[in-house]
Amino acid sequence: MADTSGLTAQSRRDLLSMMILIRTYEEAILREYHADKSPGFDIGAGLVPGEMHLSAGQEPVAAGIGAHLREGDALTATHRPHHVAIAHGVDLRRMTAEIFGREDGLGRGRGGHMHLFDPDRHFSCSGIIAEGLPPALGQAFALRRAGTDGVAVAVTGEGAANQGAFHESLNLAALWKLPVVFVVEDNDWGISVPRSASTSVPSNAARAAAYGIPGVRVEDNAVEAVHAAVGAAVARARAGEGPSLIEVHTLRLWGHFEGDAQGYRPDLEGAPGRDPIPTYVAALVADGVLTEADVALIRTGAAERVEDAIAFAKASPVPSPDDALKYVFTEGIPA
Amino acid sequence: MADTSGLTAQSRRDLLSMMILIRTYEEAILREYHADKSPGFDIGAGLVPGEMHLSAGQEPVAAGIGAHLREGDALTATHRPHHVAIAHGVDLRRMTAEIFGREDGLGRGRGGHMHLFDPDRHFSCSGIIAEGLPPALGQAFALRRAGTDGVAVAVTGEGAANQGAFHESLNLAALWKLPVVFVVEDNDWGISVPRSASTSVPSNAARAAAYGIPGVRVEDNAVEAVHAAVGAAVARARAGEGPSLIEVHTLRLWGHFEGDAQGYRPDLEGAPGRDPIPTYVAALVADGVLTEADVALIRTGAAERVEDAIAFAKASPVPSPDDALKYVFTEGIPA
Amino acid sequence: MSITIENTDTLPVEPEPGRRKLSTAKAVSEAIAQQMQQDENVFVMGEDVGSYGGIFSATTGLLDEFGPDRVLDTPISETAFIGLGIGAAVEGLRPVVELMFVDFFGVCMDQIYNHMAKIHYESGGNVRVPMVLMAATGGGYSDGAQHSQSLWGTFAHLPGMKVVVPSNPYDAKGLMTAAIRSDDPVVYLFHKGVMGLGWMKKNPRSIGAVPTEAYEVPIGKARVAREGTDVTIVTLSLSVHHSLDVAEKLAEEGISVEVIDLRSLVPLDRDAILESVRKTGRLVVVDEDYQSFGVTGEVIASVVEREPGVLTHVSRVAVPDVPLPYARELEYAVLPTPARIEAAVREAVAK
Amino acid sequence: MSITIENTDTLPVEPEPGRRKLSTAKAVSEAIAQQMQQDENVFVMGEDVGSYGGIFSATTGLLDEFGPDRVLDTPISETAFIGLGIGAAVEGLRPVVELMFVDFFGVCMDQIYNHMAKIHYESGGNVRVPMVLMAATGGGYSDGAQHSQSLWGTFAHLPGMKVVVPSNPYDAKGLMTAAIRSDDPVVYLFHKGVMGLGWMKKNPRSIGAVPTEAYEVPIGKARVAREGTDVTIVTLSLSVHHSLDVAEKLAEEGISVEVIDLRSLVPLDRDAILESVRKTGRLVVVDEDYQSFGVTGEVIASVVEREPGVLTHVSRVAVPDVPLPYARELEYAVLPTPARIEAAVREAVAK
Ligand SMILES: Cc1ncc(C[n+]2csc(CCOP(=O)(O)OP(=O)(O)O)c2C)c(N)n1
Ligand SMILES: Cc1ncc(C[n+]2csc(CCOP(=O)(O)OP(=O)(O)O)c2C)c(N)n1
Ligand SMILES: [Mg+2]
Ligand SMILES: [Mg+2]
């Protein structure tokens, strides 16, 4: 990867650091998730129960988006939310506490890993396919109405791009010229269904034409290309020119959820070789942006932050069963 | 309109006859609908109560489709279904009896004007926007599975093309190469909302690219152009090459529903001049395909058929209140 | 500029001589307009809410007063625009979103029940969704199975949203005011037949006295629409009118019917129901929604789970689990008509 | 090739010695396979139903046996493919369509309740929709508010579809067989916790004896899962297992609990419920769906509207109108756990 990015060395280091932080996080969650589910995998057991959708391999998307967002910008994510949450600056400790179902969690343990809400970062996610897109429109609407140049980014999977909400959201955002950037993570799979069995066109970028907005596809899971594409789309949105659609061809390194044996998956063999992190490390080292020793330092720093978050989560109190009905409505809850 | 159609004189006469039959029908329903709703319009009063969506001005779409369909082909329509039902050969008497809420109606008075089901013609409609599209896919699926070259046509409005079901249906039909023809009737309005306030692109034909299928837009409400476009799409579908999307720029001559004062509508003034029937009559007379006297004969014939259907409907028994719960489930109902 | 008139909880809403009367539709749009005047975060969105003024006139006049930035016509994309409302509410705006007919919930229910209703809980109370979703309900004018449903039972069953169902202009204004001011998502369901529309048969009670100033009718409080001692009718929306008509008629024969107008389904005023049946011992629940697994069952269960012996008679007058038929003769056979209500009350007192 | 075993209506489903045992998941897929063998019009469609075999293993093995023309993986487009199923059914095919989690109904409910359920009625019986829509329900494994719901009350409330809810392998096979053969649309809801999945905590009853041949369990018939005289528990799905566990435990103390497994919600076997409470006089309704405006209210109302005096005690154990919380401690505080059921039964007999 020659440095044709036009990025500063610092920006490139930041992109790599973010990718490493995310991977470190997902590896730690993987470890904690499986730590206490045996003998025999029991999905409901352990400190981190329930479905777990991890994002290893998709870090370039998150890092490329996160680099462009600032205070006040909004982001909506999917059932696979950790990478974009981290890149958007969601509090790592409280996010982790939520994944552990604790009182200090973002949702006081009520939400869980698919339902992370951080109003400080205007971050949310949804477990329902494509249904995170419409609320992003509303955040963009509110940002514009408040007179800011804030943007909302809506992330979704390539499988989700065949859901009705995708179409409605793109049309409405285009029609009202809302400052939204739609990012489709094409990891080739919607659970066990390959893209070829779900999507009638090779590139979702082609679907931008259906709304009269720019559409680009980034191949090869290349973080700098994502960075460039998102940068252009965010600038366009901030300038009041309306939404854009970006599809990134990325890689699901692990199962759809933890416990997924992936028997359906012929492409797994070559997958490790396509891991975007070693590739990017090699490129940056080759370009003299950093040394292997720098990378090791980044990894150590990431591990420290992640383990701190996990320790915080584990130390946080478990919610009291007596409070199970609290928070259905706002009554009695200070604003 | 010079005869560049390549159509036989008979085909052109048939197209006109169908358009006249439809208009005659809608005028008769208009008359019956308003006959007993005064003083003061009461939507629930009279022999034909409820919402009434008439299709005057949109006859070219129906006639152009109907000319290509044969025994066994399926058609799904919308809340504005009469024109396509007639063009598809739905029994006029039983359809009218349904609109009058009678026992001899297509649905024994249970359905009403938005819910016409004629299994003989594989015809159905739905009052919910765009939700008539998915069942058309299933009919196409069944036709293909039965080894026929039958097709299913799914008609919908331009407003409906912004509904999620539109997107999902086009993608799935394209993906499975189903023999479906999607026809969008662009009459410029979704109730009071102009196309410009609902649709982010000037032509829905552009949306075909989002599914890798052919898309065409027919301008000017021209019946022969509709005929040509549908012909190509139907042939493609019969040949196993998959779905197509056609948008026709047509004209809603009357209100969205009866009782609609259309105060929102600046384009009404020129509307009568754009009525497709006089235009086509003039063209065919100019081309020597028929004389004014022939047209008068066609009109008389149409009036006879329509008045016969209305008389049939009025003579049909009103359903007995005792049978209101019949037909929820199939028990006791012979197959 | 706001008053809360509490005494309407137990008194019939009767126009006082000389007081201004409004249709329910006008009362709704006035409530919205006043809240839009007071709070610039309030805005209105939906199909045909602008120049058309709402198919059932709930937003008439708002476009003229507040302009297209605050009164927005949408494409026919309910999932997108309801979701837009949710995102806007999360950011502190106060959207009033119209779903034209409640029957259309099936194309957008995920945004409603999995998002609008759950975000506050899932976020542990950290994110609020102060949004009103309003929709027209009900039949009786031959609009067929897809445009005549009540469906409030479906919304009330799913947690996280308040559900209000006004029956008259006074409550309509007060409940809309309360709904817009609420920090919780509120589903506001108005029956077309209570709106007082010029083009639909209407009960005289759909036009009534409405104070000029803003006021709230508290969400979660039923109203004793008529006091009585022999039978309690618990009902809501248009059926309140029918029940009052029946009560008036039977009063002449010395049958004393108490009519409870629920006004809210969530929260449900279980105390008010129990209080009434303690007095009468006989309960007739009247509902235009489908009978089974809905409002009628809940009302009855609410009573007997608290006081199993209190009821000597209970019956239901609802739509008997059938799609709403088109033909008038069939539709009126399944709707909770005054005739059916009257028969049920007579049967109740005969025992 | 088909038998109907009627006597299971009133007998517990117990494996006879030496008989073949299956998990509920395997029983479901066997039923589908047998109907596919017998009728080439039957086909299966849904997300991940093919090579994955269904996320909850309801379609495992079918792709291998019947190939991709009859077992079709779909895009994540529930409205399109459920609608496709409806159109196919209208043309005489017999689709079995999987909606992966019932919680996703919000993106496709219009096809389900306004089309699948209403076409037969609207067509005056002229068009049939012989289709099975199956979906996974239920919580208990921390899947959060959007993946843990039961929601059967919502489907049962809306007319035109039958709704069945098996609790064990025997019923699962027989109800699926009946559902596929039915000319009506049937919603088939299986709780993940009764499927006998290897990767989820399971009750031993989720694996049981299942005849090899095809047979039907009649839709609309409840089953007396355990006979008793002191209290009636009316329940369904996974809660049947919990209720039987509680009944077994309390039997040791001399408390005799009758457990009714509804198996079908539409039609609801009101006679079976009434028959049981006539004997016991005490009713505890246990349901994993939300409490209000749902199954529990309907069961109670069904009894008292027929015999107001028959119940001396009635209570409900359901999810108390709150989104399902993620944290285990919270989720188990709102689920109808054996502990809550036991407490309710003890309270019932204490009176
Ligand atoms: C409406 C809806 N349908 C189905 C699902 C179940 N589901 C969860 S994730 C998933 C696959 C999503 O694929 P994609 O959008 O490509 O995202 P990825 O998992 O690859 O990140 C499915 C089908 C859901 N959550 N919501
Ligand atoms: C899901 C849904 N939303 C809204 C409506 C109400 N509605 C009925 S017709 C209509 C306008 C339809 O416009 P278009 O698709 O252009 O068809 P046209 O009426 O012009 O023939 C609307 C909004 C509906 N029936 N279904
Ligand atoms: Mg994917
Ligand atoms: Mg239109």
Side-chain angles (χ1 to χ4, degrees), chain C residues 147-269:
Chain C
H147 286 75
S148 304
Q149 301 169 95
S150 291
L151 296 174
W152 35 59
T154 297
F155 289 82
H157 179 54
L158 301 165
M161 41 192 162
K162 298 196 165 168
V163 181
V164 301
V165 191
S167 70
N168 61 60
Y170 181 90
D171 285 348
K173 179 172 175 183
L175 285 169
M176 179 54 83
T177 303
I180 295 174
R181 292 178 183 172
S182 168
D183 281 337
D184 296 312
V186 179
V187 177
Y188 185 103
L189 299 174
F190 57 81
H191 194 296
K192 302 150 203 166
V194 309
M195 291 296 264
L197 302 171
W199 44 277
M200 201 175 272
K201 199 174 57 191
K202 55 184 161 297
N203 189 293
R205 292 186 191 81
S206 55
I207 298 181
V210 177
T212 313
E213 63 279 15
Y215 60 93
E216 292 182 32
V217 166
I219 296 174
K221 284 280 221 177
R223 183 174 74 89
V224 180
R226 181 188 173 97
E227 291 185 0
T229 52
D230 295 331
V231 187
T232 298
I233 296 180
V234 173
T235 186
L236 70 169
S237 195
L238 181 64
S239 301
V240 173
H241 300 200
H242 298 330
S243 300
L244 289 171
D245 290 343
V246 168
E248 278 170 20
K249 177 176 173 189
L250 294 180
E252 293 163 19
E253 300 179 29
I255 302 173
S256 171
V257 179
E258 178 143 315
V259 178
I260 309 275
D261 178 353
L262 289 173
R263 301 198 295 194
S264 296
L265 287 175
V266 179
L268 182 65
D269 192 347

Side-chain angles (χ1 to χ4, degrees), chain B residues 94 106-108 110-111 115 117 119 122 126 128 131 134-135 137-139 141-142 145 165 168-169 171-172 175-176 178 324 326-331 333-335, chain D residues 40 43 45 70 72-75 77-81 83-84 87-88 91 93 110-111 114-115 119-128 160-162 183-184 266:
Chain B
R94 294 185 60 213
L106 288 170
R108 295 190 169 92
R110 272 75 178 164
H115 309 291
F117 295 88
H122 306 269
S126 166
I128 310 295
E131 297 283 331
L137 270 57
Q139 294 181 292
F141 179 89
R145 206 156 180 279
E168 294 190 10
S169 299
N171 181 59
L172 187 54
L175 193 70
W176 291 4
L178 295 172
K326 221 168 145 179
Y327 309 120
V328 179
F329 293 119
T330 57
E331 271 102 74
I333 302 169
Chain D
E40 62 170 24
F43 71 100
M45 193 170 43
R70 292 184 71 192
L72 295 97
D73 273 338
T74 62
S77 308
E78 287 85 355
T79 291
F81 72 75
L84 193 156
E91 296 297 331
L93 300 181
D110 188 71
Q111 285 297 328
N114 265 337
H115 293 84
I119 286 174
H120 184 261
Y121 187 83
E122 289 170 334
S123 72
N126 289 319
V127 178
R128 297 183 166 201
M161 43 191 161
K162 298 194 165 168
D183 282 337
D184 296 312
V266 179

